[in-house]
Amino acid sequence: MREEFLLDPGITFLNHGSYGACPRPVLAEQQRWREEMERNPVEFLTRRSGALLKSARSALAQYLGAQTDHLIFIPNATTAVNAIAASLRLAPGDEVLSTDLEYGACDMTWRQHCERQGAVLQRVQIPLPFEPQRFVERMMEAATKRTRLIFVSHITSVTALIFPVAELCRAARERGILVCIDGAHAPSQIDLALDEIGADFYSGNCHKWLCAPKGAAFLHVRPEHHEMLRAPVISWGWYDNPVQHSYTGETVFERRFQWQGTHDITPWLSVPAAIAFQAEREWARRRAECHALAIGLMHEFGERHGLAPIAPDECFGQMAPLPVPHQDAPALRARLFDEHRIEVPVTEHGDRTFVRVSMQAYNTAADLQRLSACRF
Ligand SMILES: Cc1ncc(COP(=O)(O)O)c(C=O)c1O
């Protein structure tokens, strides 16, 4: 499997989580699209892109258990979260409820939009060890009459925890509170059925665990919110246009987001190839093997360092936070790379330090043994 990827054979790559890695056949498909585009850019971008994007979106929607018209492509999860935060009108004193385990860039996004509108960003402390059965209760206990929206990750960045988001969405809906899920790490790492999860807004990356080219992500929005959404860039689809261009899309949602000026749409068109790549290689089995190996190492580290894992095994997918003694995280990361050629992030939360290991189908038990042999 490793030969299917371009990863440098001189390094042990245990950080699929940060930016993903795209396999050769999917990159070849992207190159094929690029060449087709460059044969006649006007034909491709003006006259064909609308239909091509719809077809790619429909393959992604089927994969995600969603309806084609409820999602659009977007370059990355950060842009998606920004679009939602910029669309939500908050009154002074309104609250956005989140956790202390969110991804930094998205936390900053909500902080900025709350500050600008005089609203309050409340971060609920999620104690470690994580108790999945208490998560929804904790969030809902912190919600007040002023809570307009709850923002949480589906899989957290620093601690790799899977949050029970479907249950959270149900509880929030009963209280009339909107929910926005940051699913940057979720597609392909866990099975998704977006219609069943029922979030008001759900963003996810295809360029991480689904192994699509960089620049492929999606935003899924319940239809009742399509009208209130602002795209990051106002462009040709914004107003009813006497000359309706097919490339701006058909629905209001498409017309706001699909055309953001001239840009490379080939990462999006290559998403069906990424889905097919995994489907043809028994991904469910490989994913389960990756999970088992990562969890095994998490327990090994826990015993070695006398530090209990921070959550039950089923709260993790293909990433696991290996508990290591608390120390200078950037220095440890640099030493693992400089001395051992191991690419792996070292994360911190409170007074805990973790080596956040990612196991993708190209990784083997030998990769983990090399990490395990290092000094911590
Ligand atoms: C939880 C989470 N949200 C959002 C992002 C941002 O993803 P992107 O850089 O593709 O926008 C990341 C990136 O690692 C993440 O871990």
Side-chain angles (χ1 to χ4, degrees):
M1 179 58 66
R2 176 90 182 210
E3 297 80 63
E4 301 236 50
F5 290 78
L6 293 159
L7 292 163
D8 179 351
I11 58 170
T12 301
F13 193 74
L14 290 168
N15 189 6
H16 191 88
S18 280
Y19 306 113
C22 187
R24 292 173 197 276
V26 178
L27 287 170
E29 173 72 353
Q30 184 186 18
Q31 184 58 15
R32 189 184 68 74
W33 281 121
R34 281 192 167 136
E35 285 172 23
E36 205 166 319
M37 173 166 68
E38 296 306 335
R39 268 200 289 275
N40 183 347
V42 176
E43 166 77 7
F44 193 83
L45 288 171
T46 313
R47 296 191 284 272
R48 288 183 62 204
S49 66
L52 291 175
L53 285 170
K54 184 151 194 167
S55 154
R57 224 152 27 88
S58 136
L60 178 61
Q62 198 182 353
Y63 176 77
L64 297 172
Q67 295 173 50
T68 307
D69 286 346
H70 297 178
L71 63 85
I72 44 91
F73 284 118
I74 201 151
N76 53 57
T78 308
T79 306
V81 171
N82 268 269
I84 296 153
S87 303
L88 190 70
R89 290 262 173 82
L90 295 166
D94 277 353
E95 292 169 8
V96 170
L97 194 63
S98 188
T99 80
D100 61 346
L101 291 172
E102 300 311 317
Y103 181 69
C106 297
D107 179 83
M108 285 186 195
T109 302
W110 284 108
R111 184 175 149 196
Q112 215 285 319
H113 282 279
C114 285
E115 276 172 13
R116 206 165 40 86
Q117 300 183 85
V120 181
L121 175 62
Q122 294 279 16
R123 299 181 189 88
V124 178
Q125 261 203 336
I126 306 297
L128 300 180
F130 178 60
E131 299 166 292
Q133 66 290 352
R134 288 270 290 120
F135 176 74
V136 174
E137 207 175 292
R138 275 187 211 287
M139 295 303 290
M140 298 319 294
E141 273 167 13
T144 71
K145 279 202 212 90
R146 299 305 303 267
T147 306
R148 294 284 316 285
L149 177 138
I150 297 176
F151 172 73
V152 298
S153 297
H154 198 164
I155 303 182
T156 63
S157 173
V158 166
T159 47
L161 292 165
I162 302 174
F163 283 160
V165 294
E167 293 84 334
L168 179 67
C169 290
R170 271 197 292 280
R173 182 158 290 270
E174 278 170 19
R175 299 258 303 260
I177 301 171
L178 299 170
V179 180
C180 172
I181 305 292
D182 171 6
H185 282 282
S188 172
Q189 192 176 165
I190 53 178
D191 280 329
L192 284 178
L194 294 186
D195 279 342
E196 283 174 30
I197 289 175
D200 295 279
F201 312 97
Y202 189 110
S203 54
N205 277 333
C206 303
H207 53 223
K208 284 192 194 283
W209 294 89
L210 188 55
C211 299
K214 311 274 179 286
F218 66 85
L219 171 60
H220 180 267
V221 179
R222 288 175 78 101
E224 61 267 32
H225 305 309
H226 290 182
E227 284 282 348
M228 59 81 96
L229 281 177
R230 286 182 71 84
V233 173
I234 308 296
S235 185
W236 282 104
W238 192 259
Y239 293 108
D240 278 339
N241 197 332
V243 192
Q244 269 312 338
H245 299 296
S246 68
Y247 62 84
T248 61
E250 291 157 10
T251 65
V252 170
F253 191 24
E254 284 172 13
R255 285 180 31 225
R256 297 218 169 138
F257 283 85
Q258 186 154 286
W259 187 264
Q260 303 272 286
T262 309
H263 68 116
D264 187 0
I265 61 170
T266 62
W268 301 346
L269 297 180
S270 307
V271 166
I275 295 171
F277 174 86
Q278 296 195 345
E280 286 157 10
R281 287 163 182 78
E282 299 180 81
W283 219 254
R285 175 180 64 74
R286 292 179 190 277
R287 185 164 72 181
E289 287 169 4
C290 286
H291 168 79
L293 284 167
I295 294 303
L297 192 65
M298 182 174 79
H299 287 290
E300 185 191 311
F301 268 60
E303 278 161 34
R304 194 198 303 177
H305 300 296
L307 294 165
I310 58 163
D313 297 355
E314 63 276 12
C315 293
F316 301 106
Q318 288 173 250
M319 295 194 294
L322 311 180
V324 292
H326 191 45
Q327 58 194 290
D328 182 342
L332 175 58
R333 190 213 60 77
R335 182 163 61 77
L336 290 172
F337 190 73
D338 296 343
E339 290 179 18
H340 305 279
R341 312 305 289 165
I342 297 175
E343 188 68 80
V344 72
V346 179
T347 61
E348 287 174 295
H349 183 72
D351 61 355
R352 302 281 317 249
T353 304
F354 309 102
V355 174
R356 192 202 66 183
V357 78
S358 287
M359 278 297 285
Q360 185 49 296
Y362 51 73
N363 290 118
T364 61
D367 293 334
L368 294 185
Q369 277 154 17
R370 275 193 287 281
L371 179 62
S372 174
C374 297
R375 179 172 48 85
F376 293 94

